[in-house]
Amino acid sequence: MKIGVDLTELRGLAGEVRRALSALDHGVSILSDTAPGPPTSSLGAEEIFGNTTAGKQLLSTHEWSAFPAVKAAMAAFAGTVEADAEQLDLAVTLYGSMDLDNAEGFLELNGRGLDIVSTHLSNGGDHSAEQAAQIARLRQLFGTGPLGNIVIGGDFNASANGDSPSAQEIRAFGDQGFAVDAGRIDDGLGGTSASHQPIDHVLPRGVGTSAAERWDREESDHDGQNVEVTLPAW
């Protein structure tokens, strides 16, 4: 006989994982803002590693090998914890809305799948109403159906900022579990369009994601957005 799930305990666990993720994201942010260099200490670098040839080699290894490796490992770990947090949130929803067997079956299927949706929507101006309707249709197709791992990406020709109907429709993805800002690039160069507007979007749900990075344009008039995705392992 199967034992039921304690939703209160599950919600508490999901909250703890979210708090851990917040701390990890803070650490990743600090490391990302830190350039490679000697370790910070009340002692100088020579006192830590010594002023011998071997000590200098250790210092060099720390600066240019160990430090970048730690940054990469922290970012990867944060992505894994985020994927687990997303799966826990889904588990809370499923166990709270259906019987045990169906919930567990859905969780098992969800952990193995990932849907990718690519889109290119109408321009604004005279087509603003059409553009907003297209975004609403995207949410209807992929946001209100069965929950699952999904990434929607493409040129929306609309920013999520402001009070325009299109901006409001994009932000409404957040009410359906999507990370609306996952494609935002904080490199000081603006958005990825030719006019540096943030009209290209990456909207993931149910997966962990890395910080978005710019992919320099070649033949295209837009830069790309590089976002690594981590699926839950359970």
Side-chain angles (χ1 to χ4, degrees):
M1 183 178 75
K2 290 192 175 182
I3 300 175
V5 173
D6 187 331
L7 274 178
T8 300
E9 184 176 347
L10 190 60
R11 289 191 182 99
L13 177 59
E16 290 299 323
V17 172
R18 284 289 177 188
R19 279 190 283 275
L21 177 60
S22 177
L24 273 171
D25 284 342
H26 181 62
V28 170
S29 176
I30 291 174
L31 286 174
S32 297
D33 293 337
T34 304
T40 301
S41 171
S42 58
L43 299 175
E46 287 189 357
E47 284 80 359
I48 294 175
F49 293 108
N51 60 2
T52 64
T53 299
K56 293 176 181 178
Q57 290 175 342
L58 283 172
L59 175 60
S60 178
T61 299
H62 169 86
E63 289 182 21
W64 305 111
S65 297
F67 186 80
V70 168
K71 289 172 65 173
M74 280 282 288
F77 184 44
T80 300
V81 174
E82 183 181 2
D84 286 340
E86 292 281 352
Q87 191 77 335
L88 277 170
D89 288 343
L90 175 60
V92 169
T93 299
L94 293 176
Y95 285 124
S97 61
M98 61 181 65
D99 64 72
L100 184 64
D101 287 335
N102 283 334
E104 290 184 346
F106 202 109
L107 278 172
E108 183 180 358
L109 289 174
N110 185 72
R112 297 197 299 263
L114 176 64
D115 292 322
I116 305 292
V117 178
S118 178
T119 189
H120 191 172
L121 304 184
S122 294
N123 209 336
D126 295 338
H127 300 281
S128 293
E130 179 182 25
Q131 180 189 78
Q134 290 172 344
I135 300 171
R137 179 60 173 159
L138 273 176
R139 291 198 299 105
Q140 179 185 20
L141 287 173
F142 303 108
T144 58
L147 295 173
N149 305 325
I150 183 171
V151 178
I152 301 174
D155 181 0
F156 282 56
N157 272 310
S159 169
N161 303 320
D163 296 324
S164 72
S166 292
Q168 294 179 50
E169 289 291 348
I170 293 173
R171 292 197 298 272
F173 274 100
D175 298 330
Q176 296 169 311
F178 289 86
V180 177
D181 294 326
R184 188 186 70 237
I185 300 174
D186 298 318
D187 60 2
L189 301 178
T192 48
S193 73
S195 57
H196 306 293
Q197 297 301 308
I199 60 176
D200 299 315
H201 299 277
V202 177
L203 308 173
R205 183 182 66 191
V207 297
T209 55
S210 66
E213 296 180 347
R214 186 180 302 271
W215 177 19
D216 290 338
R217 68 171 66 94
E218 293 181 2
E219 300 301 324
S220 174
D221 62 334
H222 285 227
D223 288 337
Q225 293 157 297
N226 182 22
V227 178
E228 295 184 2
V229 172
T230 303
L231 285 169
W234 55 281

